[in-house]
Amino acid sequence: MSRILTVKKRDGGEENFDESRISDSIFRAASSAGEGDREVAAELAGVVSLFLEKRSQSPQVHVGEIEDMVERVLLETGRVETARAYIKMRGEGGSSSVSEGGPRPGELFPGLGISVVSSDAGALSAWDRSKITAALMREARLSREEAGEIAAQVESRIAGRGLTRISSALVRSLVDAEMFDRGLTDEIGMQAMLGMPAYDFKELVLPGSKGTAASPEEAVRMLAGKSMRQFAFGEVFSGDTAHAHADAEIHVESASAPVHLSEAFVSLEYLKRFGAFPFTGGWEPPSSIDGIASGISAFAEGMRDYFSSGLDLGYVNLSMAPCVEEGGEAAMEAAGVKILDAVLSASDRRGSFRTALNISAGVPDLLRFTEARGLEGRKTGRGFAEYWTAAERFSKALVSAAAGARTASRNLAEITIHVDSNTFKNPSALSFLRFACRHIGPSFAPGFVFEHEPSWMNLHSRLLARTEDPELFRNPERMRVPLVQSVAINAVRAALAAGHGNIDRFCSILESSVSKALNALREKKEFVAKLSRAGVFAGIEAGAPDSEPVFRIENGIFSISLTGISEAAGVLAGRGDDLDTEALKLALSAISFLMLQAREQAKKMSIPLIFGGETSPEGSRRFASADKDAYPSAEPVRGAYSAGLTACAKQVHEMHEAVRDLGSRFSLVEWRLFLSGLLENPDNPPEGFFDLVCDVFENTDIVYLRFK
């Protein structure tokens, strides 16, 4: 760069370079165009001088170069009328508007030597204003003219600073500022950057005295999660959904994984027949217990690429029975440990991805005569009912392993036991249920699914996705159900907003929340369809060896859950007052009607809906935190809301009373029941848990029970 000292005139003479003369000529042109401003003219003259210096290799420039540069600066900073006036002032005898060797149209500042560094420092490129223009046309859908004006203005601001290097993030910020000044706020959102400010990220890893530093893995995960949530609520879900989520009216589950499906149920029969296909090179049925265990690990690992929350393995004890029948007690115990280890190793220690086991207390009627398969997927010629003795032995081995498996570095195994009327007709099945209940404690807190109707089966431990499809019962390896998306609704917020006793208002608010949740599910369904068409799920939509897709994404299910029902009931009835049982029954009757409405509405939207999924701990905590801020004096607002009905007692006999009270009050709707307080009391008799489980099944319509 050379400082300009002299100007060569058209007649060949020379004179000293004077920036004020450029400013005066710009001001005269601007005044004739009705845009006269001395300060602006001086600023533009400074830009002209700067870029003349950057372009020139000598301390002298030709007057035509100055005029050309003035013209270009005016045109490409959006001062079109002033530029026209300036061109007119140059007169008929002036030089051409672009002198030989001068900048070409659209390249106002070539050769500036400015380098642009990508936000991740992964690339360095020369400045090119046309890239900004193209990006604005593509991302913000601006016209070429408007995009070009914005790009030119940004370029002028950057050049005015004399920079030699600038980050792409700063360029984008300058573009956003220019768009904001022009009132293009909606268009700014269409090309928003994803991530978090550098200061915030630094606080994660170098918090100083303000907190504990995040581990490297956690810091990366948090940065990625924030970026993906921004994408979710900017691209996948609408502004209305984003607002409802931000207001804690609803909670979109797994928003940090918007391009993933949620979770899936897969029968262990599938892994017995086809191994870990499609996550291995081919399909090969396992020939040993070790092969089944390694297949579980490999399959769960492959699932992480497509599912964010977890994998449910179905009817594990029935599937394992033909493979372990000939083994003695030691072999049975070893098999239980191997399967449990495979499940624990496949679960994320942070709990974001869980692998769960479903076992059955007895053989459901719908599977009694289905032909079982052994190792290598070979048919045995016998129905599952004939293997119950082996299934019971394996179930006890699995429970024993789970009850003693928890250490400081391992997850608590998630096991769900399915109970139906056959459980109580079969002494051996009842014996296993009693055995499992006797092991309940801080290290083993199973869930219980109560299947009150023999005409259907549940295909998921928490979702209660029911099926009556006889084809699935004849071929249980086809039990492969993907859950696409879950949305939770904050029932406590609805109750707090409605106020004590205002059931009509409560139901009206909930009805609005249900509509917003359904819209969120529809939006995710539409986005997943786009991903599917783009081949994103090709790996799991591929045909399995049974000629069916591994997962049929278009038939995936969706879930809505109501969070904090017990707390909401307390708000409506009035804490500290006598519980108004009739009012609560009326409220819950209205909720059940809302559920029916939601199912009908979902059917019209072609959304296979399950109403009653379990809210994630993150959603429960977020709801409670938001409500505490909005209603600081509200009594039920605490650390986290219940995912269903909650009963708390230290003594088992007290819990019986609470359950029977709940059973009479909440009989109009199928509910999930969470029992807390019992596991902390070592004085509760082991048999008491068994009696309590039987009491819930026989005397209530509750469909899911878990000790917490």
Side-chain angles (χ1 to χ4, degrees):
M1 183 176 72
S2 175
R3 178 169 176 77
I4 305 298
L5 299 177
T6 61
V7 177
K8 189 173 182 177
K9 299 192 293 184
R10 290 187 179 90
D11 61 6
E14 295 183 3
E15 64 182 11
N16 292 333
F17 178 80
D18 186 353
E19 185 179 298
S20 65
R21 294 184 63 180
I22 300 175
S23 175
D24 289 342
S25 64
I26 293 175
F27 177 71
R28 287 197 303 272
S31 297
S32 66
E35 299 175 344
D37 187 312
R38 282 283 183 189
E39 291 185 4
V40 172
E43 182 181 346
L44 291 171
V47 172
V48 170
S49 298
L50 175 66
F51 287 100
L52 284 172
E53 291 174 358
K54 286 182 176 292
R55 285 181 49 79
S56 179
Q57 301 301 314
S58 77
Q60 186 180 80
V61 294
H62 192 279
V63 65
E65 291 182 74
I66 297 176
E67 292 171 342
D68 287 344
M69 188 61 73
V70 171
E71 180 183 334
R72 293 302 177 197
V73 167
L74 293 174
L75 283 172
E76 299 192 26
T77 56
R79 292 169 174 82
V80 178
E81 295 303 320
T82 299
R84 287 174 179 166
Y86 181 81
I87 294 170
K88 185 177 180 180
M89 285 169 53
R90 292 180 66 172
E92 295 295 333
S95 63
S96 63
S97 62
V98 181
S99 61
E100 183 179 354
R104 298 188 306 274
E107 295 182 356
L108 176 57
F109 305 123
L112 294 182
I114 297 178
S115 298
V116 181
V117 186
S118 64
S119 296
D120 60 358
L124 188 68
S125 59
W127 173 262
D128 184 352
R129 181 167 52 80
S130 65
K131 291 183 178 179
I132 299 178
T133 302
L136 288 171
M137 292 171 62
R138 180 180 64 252
E139 299 172 16
R141 302 183 185 132
L142 300 182
S143 67
R144 181 177 296 277
E145 180 181 7
E146 189 168 26
E149 290 177 2
I150 291 172
Q153 184 65 24
V154 169
E155 186 177 58
S156 176
R157 293 185 66 183
I158 294 171
R161 293 291 182 178
L163 301 175
T164 59
R165 179 173 292 194
I166 188 170
S167 71
S168 61
L170 181 53
V171 172
R172 189 174 284 266
S173 295
L174 292 172
V175 171
D176 287 348
E178 181 64 21
M179 293 173 70
F180 182 81
D181 288 343
R182 293 168 179 253
L184 302 174
T185 53
D186 290 341
E187 289 79 0
I188 291 174
M190 295 170 65
Q191 49 124 44
M193 289 286 287
L194 304 179
M196 67 170 64
Y199 176 84
D200 292 349
F201 186 74
K202 184 179 178 181
E203 285 297 299
L204 282 177
V205 295
L206 294 171
S209 61
K210 296 182 180 180
T212 303
S215 68
E217 180 184 5
E218 185 180 14
V220 172
R221 180 172 56 85
M222 292 176 70
L223 177 60
K226 183 176 181 65
S227 297
M228 295 306 286
R229 280 191 294 273
Q230 290 172 347
F231 177 79
F233 293 115
E235 296 294 329
V236 180
F237 300 105
S238 66
D240 289 342
T241 297
H243 292 153
H245 178 92
D247 291 342
E249 182 181 356
I250 66 173
H251 178 77
V252 178
E253 300 283 9
S254 302
S256 59
V259 296
H260 285 68
L261 306 173
S262 181
E263 54 188 292
F265 175 95
V266 178
S267 169
L268 188 59
E269 289 293 296
Y270 176 88
L271 276 71
K272 279 171 53 184
R273 285 200 64 184
F274 309 128
F277 180 88
F279 306 120
T280 53
W283 65 278
E284 183 176 350
S287 58
S288 65
I289 304 302
D290 287 334
I292 295 176
S294 63
I296 291 173
S297 298
F299 192 82
E301 184 64 30
M303 290 278 286
R304 292 171 189 260
D305 289 343
Y306 301 95
F307 294 85
S308 62
S309 299
L311 168 66
D312 252 38
L313 290 174
Y315 300 96
V316 172
N317 57 338
L318 300 182
S319 290
M320 288 296 297
C323 306
V324 298
E325 184 182 36
E326 302 300 327
E329 291 307 312
M332 194 71 74
E333 291 176 6
V337 170
K338 288 177 180 178
I339 298 301
L340 187 70
D341 280 345
V343 169
L344 289 172
S345 66
S347 297
D348 192 319
R349 292 182 180 182
R350 296 187 301 270
S352 58
F353 188 93
R354 44 170 282 284
T355 303
L357 298 176
N358 291 262
I359 59 179
S360 179
V363 182
D365 283 338
L366 297 171
L367 290 177
R368 292 183 65 82
F369 303 108
T370 298
E371 186 174 9
R373 294 177 182 268
L375 293 173
E376 299 182 336
R378 293 191 301 265
K379 291 185 176 182
T380 65
R382 297 159 58 189
F384 279 112
E386 298 181 52
Y387 285 101
W388 170 248
T389 299
E392 180 198 8
R393 292 171 58 216
F394 177 77
S395 302
K396 290 181 177 179
L398 195 63
V399 167
S400 296
R406 190 182 191 190
T407 67
S409 62
R410 300 180 71 178
N411 292 318
L412 182 67
E414 185 170 329
I415 295 179
T416 299
I417 301 171
H418 292 246
V419 178
D420 65 12
S421 58
N422 286 325
T423 303
F424 298 91
K425 298 174 185 176
N426 182 342
S428 176
L430 201 60
S431 171
F432 162 65
L433 182 61
R434 178 178 281 107
F435 177 88
C437 290
R438 292 187 64 183
H439 282 77
I440 291 175
S443 297
F444 179 61
F448 295 87
V449 170
F450 300 124
E451 297 174 340
H452 296 284
E453 296 292 334
S455 60
W456 46 258
M457 288 173 55
N458 281 305
L459 298 186
H460 199 284
S461 61
R462 296 183 303 166
L463 290 176
L464 308 181
R466 298 171 178 172
T467 181
E468 300 179 51
D469 186 352
E471 183 65 23
L472 296 183
F473 306 140
R474 288 192 294 268
N475 301 283
E477 70 276 4
R478 294 189 177 181
M479 293 180 180
R480 309 191 290 267
V481 182
L483 171 69
V484 177
Q485 180 68 54
S486 295
V487 176
I489 293 174
N490 188 351
V492 183
R493 172 63 64 89
L496 289 168
H500 168 51
N502 196 338
I503 295 172
D504 289 342
R505 175 66 176 153
F506 170 70
C507 292
S508 176
I509 295 171
L510 273 188
E511 186 173 11
S512 174
S513 299
V514 168
S515 294
K516 293 174 183 177
L518 284 172
N519 283 330
L521 296 181
R522 174 184 53 77
E523 290 159 1
K524 180 60 177 281
K525 182 180 181 183
E526 291 171 353
F527 182 69
V528 166
K530 292 179 183 178
L531 295 178
S532 180
R533 289 193 295 271
V536 172
F537 301 118
I540 57 174
E541 289 185 302
D546 61 358
S547 300
E548 289 288 322
V550 179
F551 290 103
R552 197 178 290 277
I553 305 300
E554 69 268 22
N555 292 341
I557 58 177
F558 297 79
S559 172
I560 291 178
S561 61
L562 253 64
T563 309
I565 290 294
S566 293
E567 293 90 339
V571 172
L572 291 172
R575 288 185 179 273
D577 301 334
D578 291 334
L579 211 57
D580 188 342
T581 302
E582 293 305 315
L584 287 175
K585 281 188 175 182
L586 180 61
L588 290 161
S589 176
I591 291 175
S592 66
F593 178 70
L594 283 177
M595 290 182 178
L596 294 175
Q597 275 189 321
R599 290 193 179 101
E600 290 301 315
Q601 191 175 346
K603 188 180 297 183
K604 293 177 182 177
M605 300 166 71
S606 299
I607 296 176
L609 180 66
I610 295 170
F611 208 125
E614 186 174 337
T615 307
S616 67
E618 177 194 0
S620 298
R621 288 192 297 267
R622 197 175 72 85
F623 281 159
S625 177
D627 287 352
K628 185 175 182 179
D629 291 339
Y631 299 89
S633 62
E635 187 176 346
V637 176
R638 51 176 182 261
Y641 292 152
S642 61
L645 298 176
T646 300
C648 183
K650 292 294 184 182
Q651 302 291 336
V652 170
H653 68 84
E654 296 174 354
M655 192 65 81
H656 277 280
E657 297 174 6
V659 166
R660 286 173 184 153
D661 183 45
L662 288 169
S664 64
R665 192 179 306 142
F666 299 101
S667 60
L668 294 171
V669 185
E670 294 178 338
W671 294 104
R672 298 157 188 272
L673 177 61
F674 295 87
L675 305 182
S676 61
L678 296 178
L679 302 185
E680 290 80 7
N681 184 2
D683 296 330
N684 280 315
E687 195 70 18
F689 291 105
F690 171 74
D691 292 339
L692 187 59
V693 170
C694 295
D695 195 0
V696 172
F697 179 83
E698 294 173 349
N699 297 311
T700 75
D701 291 326
I702 288 166
V703 295
Y704 181 80
L705 169 69
R706 184 173 288 279
F707 294 92
K708 306 193 76 170

